[in-house]
Amino acid sequence: MDMKLIVSIVHSDDANQLIAALRDGGFSSTKISTTGGFLREGNATILVGTEERKVSTVLDIIRRNCHTRTQYVNPLPPVMEPGELYMPNPVEVQVGGAVIFVLDVERLIKY
Ligand code: 2BA
């Protein structure tokens, strides 16, 4: 039986709802609290190990439970001369719903 590991990076606010929906669908999951390298804000990484034939069901559950959001980021200020005034101009960034990696699993062992 071919196994896959689905690594899904989602918004922290969607994580608990997603885990509940996965559980209702009969899927085990693990939530890791992570931080995005660009926004440097907390997000959540959800791991789901499952049979290859069930991957599309998991992707469907993730798609239905994770929502795209717009966030604003202040770019790094430029190097300033004394007395100069910097007015930050926030940049719009689309985040998520989910960034998903599907990996081959060589073996699943439970002791
Ligand atoms: P962050 O790294 O905090 O990125 C948040 C959002 O900022 C990204 O949303 C993207 O829209 C934007 N962004 C990221 N890097 C950028 C850059 N160099 N220039 C301009 N905009 C940039 P998503 O693409 O939906 O990613 C959401 C989160 O998923 C990321 O949070 C990161 O934690 C993870 N992620 C995304 N792509 C990844 C990858 N290839 N490898 C590992 N983690 C990834």
Side-chain angles (χ1 to χ4, degrees), residues 21 23 58 60 81 104:
R23 195 182 50 227
V58 172
D60 214 42
E81 295 295 326
D104 290 332

PDB file of all heavy atoms in Angstrom, residues 21 23 58 60 81 104:
ATOM      1  N   ALA A  21     -12.225  18.770  10.770  1.00  0.00           N
ATOM      2  CA  ALA A  21     -12.791  18.220   9.537  1.00  0.00           C
ATOM      3  C   ALA A  21     -12.028  16.965   9.105  1.00  0.00           C
ATOM      4  O   ALA A  21     -12.624  15.998   8.619  1.00  0.00           O
ATOM      5  CB  ALA A  21     -12.756  19.272   8.431  1.00  0.00           C
ATOM      6  N   ARG A  23     -10.478  14.916  11.132  1.00  0.00           N
ATOM      7  CA  ARG A  23     -10.875  13.865  12.089  1.00  0.00           C
ATOM      8  C   ARG A  23     -12.237  13.293  11.694  1.00  0.00           C
ATOM      9  O   ARG A  23     -12.420  12.079  11.680  1.00  0.00           O
ATOM     10  CB  ARG A  23     -10.924  14.456  13.498  1.00  0.00           C
ATOM     11  CG  ARG A  23     -10.975  13.411  14.598  1.00  0.00           C
ATOM     12  CD  ARG A  23     -11.061  14.064  15.959  1.00  0.00           C
ATOM     13  NE  ARG A  23     -12.130  15.060  15.986  1.00  0.00           N
ATOM     14  CZ  ARG A  23     -12.001  16.304  16.476  1.00  0.00           C
ATOM     15  NH1 ARG A  23     -10.857  16.719  16.964  1.00  0.00           N
ATOM     16  NH2 ARG A  23     -13.021  17.143  16.458  1.00  0.00           N
ATOM     17  N   VAL A  58      -8.191  14.209   1.119  1.00  0.00           N
ATOM     18  CA  VAL A  58      -7.549  15.116   2.089  1.00  0.00           C
ATOM     19  C   VAL A  58      -7.396  16.511   1.472  1.00  0.00           C
ATOM     20  O   VAL A  58      -7.697  17.526   2.111  1.00  0.00           O
ATOM     21  CB  VAL A  58      -6.181  14.550   2.539  1.00  0.00           C
ATOM     22  CG1 VAL A  58      -5.433  15.568   3.387  1.00  0.00           C
ATOM     23  CG2 VAL A  58      -6.370  13.248   3.294  1.00  0.00           C
ATOM     24  N   ASP A  60      -9.163  17.882  -0.755  1.00  0.00           N
ATOM     25  CA  ASP A  60     -10.495  18.478  -0.812  1.00  0.00           C
ATOM     26  C   ASP A  60     -10.896  19.067   0.545  1.00  0.00           C
ATOM     27  O   ASP A  60     -11.436  20.182   0.611  1.00  0.00           O
ATOM     28  CB  ASP A  60     -11.469  17.351  -1.187  1.00  0.00           C
ATOM     29  CG  ASP A  60     -12.583  17.857  -2.024  1.00  0.00           C
ATOM     30  OD1 ASP A  60     -12.296  18.657  -2.920  1.00  0.00           O
ATOM     31  OD2 ASP A  60     -13.739  17.467  -1.758  1.00  0.00           O
ATOM     32  N   GLU A  81      18.976  59.719   5.856  1.00  0.00           N
ATOM     33  CA  GLU A  81      19.853  60.793   6.328  1.00  0.00           C
ATOM     34  C   GLU A  81      19.192  61.427   7.553  1.00  0.00           C
ATOM     35  O   GLU A  81      17.958  61.400   7.659  1.00  0.00           O
ATOM     36  CB  GLU A  81      20.001  61.867   5.231  1.00  0.00           C
ATOM     37  CG  GLU A  81      20.702  61.390   3.960  1.00  0.00           C
ATOM     38  CD  GLU A  81      22.155  61.016   4.208  1.00  0.00           C
ATOM     39  OE1 GLU A  81      22.802  61.659   5.060  1.00  0.00           O
ATOM     40  OE2 GLU A  81      22.632  60.068   3.556  1.00  0.00           O
ATOM     41  N   ASP A 104       6.321  11.298  -0.887  1.00  0.00           N
ATOM     42  CA  ASP A 104       6.293   9.835  -0.773  1.00  0.00           C
ATOM     43  C   ASP A 104       6.744   9.422   0.621  1.00  0.00           C
ATOM     44  O   ASP A 104       7.675  10.007   1.176  1.00  0.00           O
ATOM     45  CB  ASP A 104       7.256   9.207  -1.791  1.00  0.00           C
ATOM     46  CG  ASP A 104       6.748   9.374  -3.212  1.00  0.00           C
ATOM     47  OD1 ASP A 104       5.519   9.452  -3.391  1.00  0.00           O
ATOM     48  OD2 ASP A 104       7.590   9.439  -4.121  1.00  0.00           O
TER      49      ASP A 104
END
